[in-house]
């Protein structure tokens, strides 16, 4: 039976050198069939090359008087862009957390002055990119567009000068609006494509789409490492690397010195029950009474020193439990921030934390691993991490590496572990990576303290309760176009982190 291919799909197939697309229904190939096909297949290996922009019309953008670029940032911009010859080199830029990757990239965009696409990880980070452009450069705000997964409006005929989009929004094809957006982006020639937190771009569901975008790639990351080998795929997008080492910036005073401390506390063996599920055992490791007692003592000491503390906990149930407990003890406790927190509330929580003159605490989930801009934080405490992720650990350490004032050049990252649990195995792997990155790492073992048996029983009840508390899935009905004879409703489900 002869396939019927829509005109729009034929143009996309020719543009991307695709010879055949399987049908979703009967013998008709529509946009949905095309996008599902490219998401499941990789094109031939791509060779990155230089991009020539001299003959492309400029966009009106220039630095404001308040725009100040540091010497090492200027060095990066000069390596990437040659204005005289009108050439941009596809480059992987590796810079430490807090060294100004976003600002440096904005300077590259300003020097090139051509249409660009910025792909980042979260909505809050997309807004930070827009704020950075508006703060330091003269550009019409209407020419910058942030596209999220709740609005897919995009004018292909008159695209904005700067389009900022999240990885999830870029690869979403569950509705007709999202498919229209992606086909539009695949049809446009961008001058620059910035992929923020580039270690995420090589994930299979993202990479199969990103590699088909047209433009010169500038990849940004502070941690060019993954627990798989997919990081090598970046070589298909960039032709060279530019690395700025943290020890050089520490000597120059641009970022803070970091002391990484791992503190091991005893584990309450009464919580390690055979009838507990894996999730319950994980929560037991986190809210181990010995760990909570030590945490409260540590916070009291740090608060007396007026420290600005970021408290990380990956498990949402444990995060809520710990933050409530801390709020009873310390009035200057803010949060928690997780993927359940709206953008408006996140901004308010961060603002309240930053404006607090005395010592304060902000509680965050792994949402704060990347892109969360809290330069006033100078102490990090982790009570829960995601397995042995080296990247996550290094990213979190980087959250406090930005000097807050001239006197504060020393910050501490503290990880509290429950002894004789899986936390110990994963911590060793992470600490080895920090040593490779030339951080100072030390381990301290705490002595066992007396814990009332009634407290242990109360904690067991709390852990049992966690199994009954289910994370709600938000179901949003999204209307779709007819695809062949299909006309149905798609339920978009998103798991809250």
């Amino acid at each position: 039976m002869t396939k019927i291919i829509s005109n729009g799909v034929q143009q996309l197939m020719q543009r991307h050198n695709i010879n055949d697309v399987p049908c979703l229904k009967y013998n008709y190939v529509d946009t949905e069939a095309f996008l599902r096909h490219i998401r499941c297949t990789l094109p031939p290996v791509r060779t990155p090359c230089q991009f020539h922009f001299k003959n492309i019309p400029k966009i009106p953008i220039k630095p404001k008087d308040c725009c100040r670029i540091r010497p090492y940032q200027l060095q990066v911009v000069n390596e990437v862009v040659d204005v005289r010859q009108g050439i941009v080199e596809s480059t992987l830029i590796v810079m430490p957390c807090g060294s100004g990757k976003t600002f440096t990239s904005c300077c590259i965009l300003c020097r090139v002055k051509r249409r660009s696409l910025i792909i980042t990880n979260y909505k809050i980070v997309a807004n930070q990119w827009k704020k950075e452009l508006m703060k330091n450069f003269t550009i019409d705000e209407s020419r910058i567009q942030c596209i999220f997964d709740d609005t897919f409006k995009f004018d292909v005929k008159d695209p904005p000068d700067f389009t900022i989009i999240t990885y999830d929004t870029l690869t979403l094809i569950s509705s007709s609006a999202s498919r229209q957006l992606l086909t539009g982006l695949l049809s446009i020639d961008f001058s620059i494509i910035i992929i923020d937190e580039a270690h995420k771009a090589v994930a299979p569901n993202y990479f199969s789409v990103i590699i088909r975008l047209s433009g010169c790639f500038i990849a940004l990351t502070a941690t060019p490492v993954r627990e798989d080998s997919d990081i090598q795929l970046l070589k298909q997008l960039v032709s060279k690397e530019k690395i700025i080492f943290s020890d050089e910036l520490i000597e120059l005073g641009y970022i803070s010195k970091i002391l990484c401390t791992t503190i091991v506390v005893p584990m309450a063996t009464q919580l390690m029950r055979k009838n507990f599920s894996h999730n319950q055992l994980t929560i037991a490791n986190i809210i181990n009474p010995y760990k909570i007692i030590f945490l409260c003592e540590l916070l009291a000491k740090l608060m007396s020193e007026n420290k600005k503390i970021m408290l990380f906990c990956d498990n949402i149930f444990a995060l809520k439990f710990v933050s409530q407990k801390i709020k009873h003890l310390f009035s200057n406790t803010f949060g928690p921030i997780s993927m359940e927190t709206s953008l408006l509330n996140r901004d308010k929580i961060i603002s309240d934390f930053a404006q607090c003159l005395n010592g304060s605490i902000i509680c965050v989930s792994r949402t704060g691993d990347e892109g969360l801009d809290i330069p006033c934080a100078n102490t990090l405490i982790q009570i829960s991490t995601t397995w042995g992720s080296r990247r996550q650990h290094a990213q979190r350490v980087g959250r406090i590496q930005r000097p807050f004032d001239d006197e504060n050049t020393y910050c501490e990252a503290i990880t509290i572990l429950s002894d004789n649990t899986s936390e110990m195995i994963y911590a060793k792997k992470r600490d080895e990576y920090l040593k490779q990155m030339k951080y100072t790492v030390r381990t301290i073992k705490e002595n066992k303290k007396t814990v009332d048996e009634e407290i242990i029983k109360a904690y067991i009840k709390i852990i049992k309760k966690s199994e009954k508390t289910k994370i709600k899935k938000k179901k949003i009905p999204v209307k779709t176009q007819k695809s062949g004879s299909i006309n149905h409703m798609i339920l978009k489900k998103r798991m809250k982190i």
Side-chain angles (χ1 to χ4, degrees):
M1 189 179 288
T2 307
K3 285 184 182 179
I4 301 171
I5 304 175
S6 68
N7 290 334
V9 172
Q10 281 183 342
Q11 292 173 7
L12 286 168
M13 289 174 67
Q14 289 173 4
R15 179 181 174 86
H16 296 280
N17 297 319
I18 296 173
N19 298 321
D20 188 36
V21 175
C23 301
L24 280 184
K25 191 73 173 179
Y26 302 116
N27 64 330
Y28 185 65
V29 178
D30 62 355
T31 305
E32 183 177 3
F34 172 79
L35 294 177
R36 288 190 183 279
H37 174 68
I38 67 167
R39 280 192 60 177
C40 298
T41 58
L42 284 174
V45 175
R46 171 175 173 164
T47 304
C49 56
Q50 293 178 335
F51 178 76
H52 298 262
F53 60 86
K54 261 190 176 180
N55 298 325
I56 300 173
K58 293 182 181 180
I59 58 173
I61 180 174
K62 63 180 182 179
K64 291 181 179 178
D65 293 337
C66 62
C67 183
R68 295 287 183 272
I69 188 166
R70 295 171 177 174
Y72 67 89
Q73 294 169 337
L74 182 61
Q75 183 187 355
V76 172
V77 176
N78 290 336
E79 286 257 347
V80 175
V81 186
D82 185 338
V83 177
R84 287 184 180 179
Q85 296 185 31
I87 293 173
V88 182
E89 294 275 2
S90 54
T91 310
L92 170 63
I93 301 172
V94 181
M95 294 172 67
C97 294
S99 59
K101 290 188 296 296
T102 303
F103 174 72
T104 304
S105 304
C106 290
C107 291
I108 291 171
L109 297 178
C110 181
R111 182 171 286 192
V112 175
K113 300 183 189 297
R114 266 67 175 185
R115 182 182 297 127
S116 303
L117 173 68
I118 300 164
I119 308 170
T120 189
N121 46 355
Y122 301 125
K123 293 180 184 180
I124 191 169
V125 183
N127 280 325
Q128 286 174 10
W129 273 91
K130 183 175 180 179
K131 286 177 184 176
E132 194 72 36
L133 282 167
M134 296 298 299
K135 177 185 173 183
N136 293 292
F137 305 92
T138 56
I139 183 171
D140 185 352
E141 187 175 359
S142 64
R143 302 303 298 166
I144 306 173
Q145 184 179 6
C146 290
I147 305 175
F148 302 137
D149 53 7
D150 52 356
T151 172
F152 297 97
K153 292 180 181 178
F154 183 75
D155 190 350
V156 180
K157 294 180 181 178
D158 182 25
D161 296 333
F162 299 106
T163 303
I164 309 170
I165 193 169
T166 63
Y167 286 106
D168 287 332
T169 306
L170 175 69
T171 54
L172 192 66
I173 59 171
S174 59
S175 69
S176 59
S178 61
R179 292 193 290 272
Q180 188 176 354
L181 166 66
L182 182 50
T183 53
L185 293 173
L186 291 169
S187 305
I188 292 176
D189 291 320
F190 293 100
S191 295
I192 302 290
I193 300 174
I194 290 180
I195 46 177
D196 195 12
E197 307 297 352
H199 47 267
K200 283 195 169 186
V202 296
N205 54 327
Y206 300 146
F207 189 75
S208 58
V209 174
I210 290 171
I211 196 170
R212 288 183 166 91
L213 295 170
S214 175
C216 179
F217 286 94
I218 307 294
L220 310 174
T221 187
T223 49
V225 63
R226 283 174 63 95
E227 303 311 316
D228 54 30
S229 59
D230 288 347
I231 198 73
Q232 298 299 321
L233 292 172
L234 281 178
K235 291 180 180 178
Q236 295 187 42
L237 303 179
V238 297
S239 57
K240 68 175 188 177
E241 289 184 11
K242 176 60 181 175
I243 303 175
I244 302 294
F245 293 100
S246 59
D247 52 344
E248 297 173 6
L249 301 189
I250 289 171
E251 285 180 16
L252 295 168
Y254 290 121
I255 59 177
S256 303
K257 294 178 182 178
I258 296 281
L259 172 62
C260 301
T261 306
T262 299
I263 299 172
V264 183
V265 299
M267 178 62 193
T269 53
Q270 300 95 318
L271 302 185
M272 306 303 289
R273 295 194 162 196
K274 290 182 180 179
N275 62 338
F276 276 178
S277 67
H278 173 76
N279 184 54
Q280 286 176 318
L281 288 172
T282 301
I283 292 171
N285 295 342
I286 301 167
I287 67 168
N288 167 23
Y290 294 105
K291 182 185 283 191
I292 299 301
I293 290 169
F294 179 83
L295 172 66
C296 293
E297 291 175 353
L298 177 63
L299 288 173
K301 178 179 177 293
L302 294 173
M303 290 288 277
S304 67
E305 297 170 359
N306 285 333
K307 297 288 187 180
K308 306 286 277 186
I309 305 157
M310 290 185 74
L311 177 63
F312 276 96
C313 178
D314 284 357
N315 185 282
I316 298 298
F317 180 87
L319 174 67
K320 290 177 178 177
F321 169 78
V322 172
S323 63
Q324 285 176 0
K325 193 168 185 65
I326 292 171
K327 281 178 181 179
H328 288 304
L329 299 172
F330 309 102
S331 58
N332 292 343
T333 302
F334 304 94
I337 294 177
S338 68
M339 285 300 284
E340 295 176 357
T341 314
S342 68
L343 281 174
L344 192 64
N345 282 341
R346 286 186 203 189
D347 288 342
K348 186 179 184 308
I349 290 168
I350 293 169
S351 175
D352 291 344
F353 172 74
Q355 290 174 15
C356 186
L357 299 177
N358 300 319
S360 53
I361 305 162
I362 186 168
C363 304
V364 290
S365 72
R366 63 175 178 263
T367 303
D369 289 353
E370 300 162 346
L372 204 62
D373 192 19
I374 312 179
C376 62
N378 52 30
T379 305
L380 163 74
I381 299 177
Q382 295 183 103
I383 58 170
S384 165
T385 58
T386 303
W387 310 116
S389 175
R390 297 167 293 168
R391 177 201 56 76
Q392 182 196 55
H393 203 50
Q395 286 280 359
R396 287 184 177 177
V397 168
R399 294 300 99 208
I400 59 166
Q401 206 163 5
R402 305 166 190 185
F404 183 48
D405 52 48
D406 293 336
E407 296 176 0
N408 185 22
T409 56
Y410 177 85
C411 299
E412 189 168 10
I414 302 166
T415 305
I416 309 174
L417 306 173
S418 295
D419 203 3
N420 297 319
T421 65
S422 58
E423 290 182 347
M424 297 295 294
I425 302 167
Y426 300 122
K428 185 179 179 183
K429 181 181 179 182
R430 294 193 304 264
D431 286 350
E432 284 174 359
Y433 180 62
L434 290 178
K435 288 175 183 176
Q436 290 174 16
M437 294 178 71
K438 300 181 181 179
Y439 287 112
T440 304
V441 181
R442 64 176 181 172
T443 302
I444 300 171
K445 197 159 186 174
E446 281 293 307
N447 296 323
K448 193 169 185 176
K449 296 181 181 180
T450 305
V451 176
D452 195 290
E453 197 64 34
E454 292 301 314
I455 294 176
I456 299 286
K457 289 178 181 178
Y459 274 61
I460 290 172
K461 286 181 181 178
I462 291 165
I463 294 166
K464 286 180 177 178
K465 198 180 186 180
S466 69
E467 202 69 13
K468 299 174 185 176
T469 309
K470 294 181 180 179
I471 298 173
K472 294 179 181 178
K473 291 180 180 180
K474 192 175 179 182
K475 298 182 179 181
I476 307 172
V478 183
K479 292 183 180 179
T480 62
Q481 289 178 326
K482 289 186 178 180
S483 177
S485 61
I486 306 171
N487 186 12
H488 57 280
M489 299 291 288
I490 296 175
L491 290 179
K492 186 175 76 174
K493 300 180 180 180
R494 287 187 172 270
M495 196 73 170
K496 298 295 184 185
I497 296 178

